[in-house]
Amino acid sequence: MRGRLEVLMTPIARLPIRMRLAGTSAALTLVILCAFAAAIGTLTIRRIRADFTNSLSTAADSLRGELSFGWGINGPVLLGPELDNFAAGDDAAIRIISRNTGGVIAETRSAPRLGLPGPDGNGRTTSTGSYLVTTVLVPLSQDGRPTNQAVYVMYARPISDLDKTIGRVELFLLVGVLGGAGLAFVAGSWTARRAMAPIAALTAAAREVELTRDPNRSIPASQSEDEVAELGRTLEGMLHALSDARTETEGMLARQRAFVADASHELRTPLTSVLANLELLSETLTGDEGAAARSALRSSRRMRRLVADLLLLARADVPRERRDRPLDLADVVVEAAGELGPSSGRHEVEIDVVPAPIVGARDDILRVTLNLIENALRHTPPGTHVTVATRSLPDGGGVLSVTDNGPGVPADLAPRLFERFVRGTGDRGGSFGLGLAIVAAVASAHSGTVGVEPRPDGGARFVVTFGPGAFPGSGPAPSPSPGVGARGGPGTGASASAGPGSVAGVAPAEIA
């Protein structure tokens, strides 16, 4: 039973509050009006039936007082009044029957058979067919002397007249009940809308805060001191608290970014000195001492890369004026490929570039390219084919893509791939988890986008889109650097592949 009730209540619970309030008001009004109509209708119908019966009796008594009889050969004869005229007003039927013989002395035209009254029929009202009949006994006299003759006056009216009256009453009550419920619904809906208007204003204000993310927006105040006003004050207090917390958090983050930037910048000088000394020691010392120096040198170099990454991210977090210059994305790719050639190992790296003019900070774009290629080399097994390509956009700008046929990006890691300090389970290079975060930060700073696309045949494709840029003058954009085997005519781009240990057809010795 409880489960059925919950099933029935579920659609109602999904309705708006104002509809539920209006519906509840209309339902309660309907119940009250139904009870009222049932009570009033019962009393009214009883009264109508009694009045109808009383009117029959009154009419019959009135007729009895006006009857006048004479005597003929066969018995009493009606002298007056004219029955059809008397019955015309009530659409009644009248029959006058001799009590002694049972014969009809007089009757109205088209009078139905109303039966014969019983011996106790005087003053009784009975239902005969479709008529309600009142019977009265009228004793007869002759020359002022009583006789043993008497007649029954049967005065009848159609029950359809009574039914029509009762039907009109029932229709009136039904229309009143339904009309009252409808008016209650309309009034309840209007009242609920007026009552919900302050809440709707609060909802609109909260939605505006959600869209603008500005907790300093004002909350509309209610004119009355009620629950809605208390809700508005609570929301406004919450927004003030959020604003204070936001200001405090932003200040703390700004101090943290400034600290990271300052610390990273200050660490570069002592790290450079340490690296220089360790390089000297690693070349002069032998044995265990030399091995310890070389190990310390590797750790120091790794620390220098971490400090450089942190400094770059800290600078990306703080708005600053960059020295952007026109550059060709293809040149940056060739330079990055040449720099990573010795560390490509057994990977097959191919570059497929065309001129793609953009405007940006060359060092930052180079870092993006290096990080994407290193990411492909680090997270794919030896023998994986890696393709680095560029293309220009019709409306300006360029696209850098790095594609591999490795294991691809795990589904659980994809949503957090460009967050800081996120490392894949297959990371064999001991990265810090900052490479792709730097890619995203630099792309965003250059009004670009970065994303990863799964490949149907396996692997991953990282795509970075940079905003439009133009080279000064009317001449063509710079072409890719020499040393790359061209495919097609001049200016159509460059494409080359390399086996293990080389990149873009450039020998490791040339890259080094």
Side-chain angles (χ1 to χ4, degrees):
M1 182 64 182
R2 182 178 179 182
R4 294 181 180 177
L5 184 60
E6 290 179 352
V7 171
L8 293 175
M9 293 298 292
T10 298
I12 299 177
R14 294 176 181 173
L15 294 174
I17 294 179
R18 61 177 181 271
M19 294 298 294
R20 279 183 279 169
L21 291 175
T24 302
S25 174
L28 291 176
T29 304
L30 181 63
V31 171
I32 294 173
L33 290 180
C34 283
F36 178 78
I40 296 300
T42 301
L43 296 175
T44 303
I45 290 172
R46 288 180 182 178
R47 184 63 182 176
I48 291 174
R49 292 184 185 275
D51 290 344
F52 191 81
T53 303
N54 292 337
S55 67
L56 281 177
S57 300
T58 302
D61 291 339
S62 178
L63 177 60
R64 179 175 56 180
E66 297 183 16
L67 289 176
S68 175
F69 291 92
W71 294 90
I73 300 174
N74 296 324
V77 177
L78 178 65
L79 300 179
E82 180 63 35
L83 295 182
D84 289 318
N85 293 337
F86 190 89
D90 293 336
D91 192 23
I94 303 174
R95 299 189 78 186
I96 300 176
I97 301 173
S98 173
R99 184 186 67 176
N100 301 85
T101 64
V104 178
I105 298 175
E107 65 180 353
T108 56
R109 287 190 300 269
S110 303
R113 291 184 177 275
L114 302 175
L116 295 175
D120 56 348
N122 184 27
R124 296 195 61 185
T125 300
T126 59
S127 176
T128 303
S130 59
Y131 285 84
L132 198 63
V133 183
T134 294
T135 304
V136 294
L137 180 65
V138 181
L140 299 180
S141 61
Q142 187 176 11
D143 299 331
R145 296 188 302 269
T147 66
N148 61 351
Q149 296 287 328
V151 296
Y152 286 110
V153 177
M154 303 181 70
Y155 193 93
R157 286 181 62 182
I159 298 178
S160 59
D161 294 344
L162 177 62
D163 292 339
K164 288 180 181 177
T165 304
I166 294 175
R168 285 193 293 269
V169 171
E170 291 176 344
L171 178 61
F172 175 78
L173 292 174
L174 178 62
V175 171
V177 169
L178 296 181
L183 290 176
F185 181 82
V186 173
S189 179
W190 179 81
T191 304
R193 186 178 293 108
R194 289 291 301 273
M196 295 297 293
I199 297 180
L202 292 178
T203 303
R207 187 177 292 111
E208 189 70 17
V209 172
E210 177 189 5
L211 294 176
T212 60
R213 295 188 176 184
D214 182 10
N216 294 318
R217 288 186 174 269
S218 61
I219 297 296
S222 178
Q223 300 297 327
S224 58
E225 289 295 329
D226 53 8
E227 291 81 359
V228 177
E230 182 65 23
L231 176 61
R233 288 192 293 268
T234 302
L235 287 177
E236 190 164 5
M238 179 189 70
L239 290 179
H240 288 163
L242 289 177
S243 178
D244 295 341
R246 178 180 181 179
T247 302
E248 182 180 351
T249 302
E250 288 178 349
M252 180 182 65
L253 292 177
R255 290 191 296 272
Q256 288 181 351
R257 286 191 293 265
F259 169 76
V260 172
D262 294 342
S264 301
H265 180 74
E266 294 297 330
L267 284 174
R268 296 176 67 180
T269 301
L271 277 176
T272 302
S273 176
V274 170
L275 284 172
N277 293 327
L278 288 176
E279 288 175 355
L280 178 62
L281 290 175
S282 63
E283 292 176 358
T284 57
L285 297 178
T286 59
D288 293 340
E289 294 178 348
R294 287 187 290 273
S295 176
L297 178 61
R298 289 192 297 269
S299 298
S300 298
R301 287 174 176 171
R302 189 163 180 262
M303 183 181 298
R304 182 178 62 179
R305 290 196 303 271
L306 174 59
V307 170
D309 290 344
L310 290 176
L311 182 60
L312 179 58
L313 286 176
R315 289 176 175 176
D317 289 337
V318 180
R320 59 186 178 92
E321 182 179 355
R322 296 192 315 270
R323 296 183 178 180
D324 293 343
R325 296 288 185 271
L327 58 94
D328 187 356
L329 195 57
D331 285 342
V332 177
V333 170
V334 172
E335 180 181 349
E339 184 175 336
L340 293 176
S343 60
S344 62
R346 296 177 55 190
H347 289 80
E348 298 180 4
V349 182
E350 175 185 359
I351 63 172
D352 183 4
V353 294
V354 295
I358 63 173
V359 174
R362 184 180 182 88
D363 292 342
D364 292 350
I365 304 299
L366 178 61
R367 174 61 67 88
V368 167
T369 308
L370 290 172
N371 286 0
L372 288 177
I373 299 176
E374 286 179 341
N375 181 75
L377 298 177
R378 182 180 297 114
H379 294 89
T380 57
T384 300
H385 186 83
V386 179
T387 301
V388 186
T390 63
R391 62 182 176 88
S392 60
L393 297 175
D395 57 347
V399 177
L400 167 67
S401 64
V402 177
T403 308
D404 65 74
N405 60 351
V409 178
D412 59 337
L413 190 62
R416 303 181 295 111
L417 194 60
F418 295 97
E419 296 179 5
R420 301 178 183 183
F421 302 105
V422 174
R423 301 174 57 186
T425 56
D427 187 358
R428 301 179 306 276
S431 69
F432 304 110
L434 296 176
L436 294 181
I438 292 175
V439 171
V442 173
S444 177
H446 286 76
S447 302
T449 59
V450 60
V452 59
E453 304 171 358
R455 302 181 62 198
D457 55 347
R461 182 171 182 260
F462 288 84
V463 179
V464 183
T465 303
F466 295 100
F471 290 96
S474 59
S479 59
S481 299
V484 180
R487 181 176 59 189
T492 61
S495 174
S497 61
S502 63
V503 178
V506 184
E510 295 173 336
I511 297 175

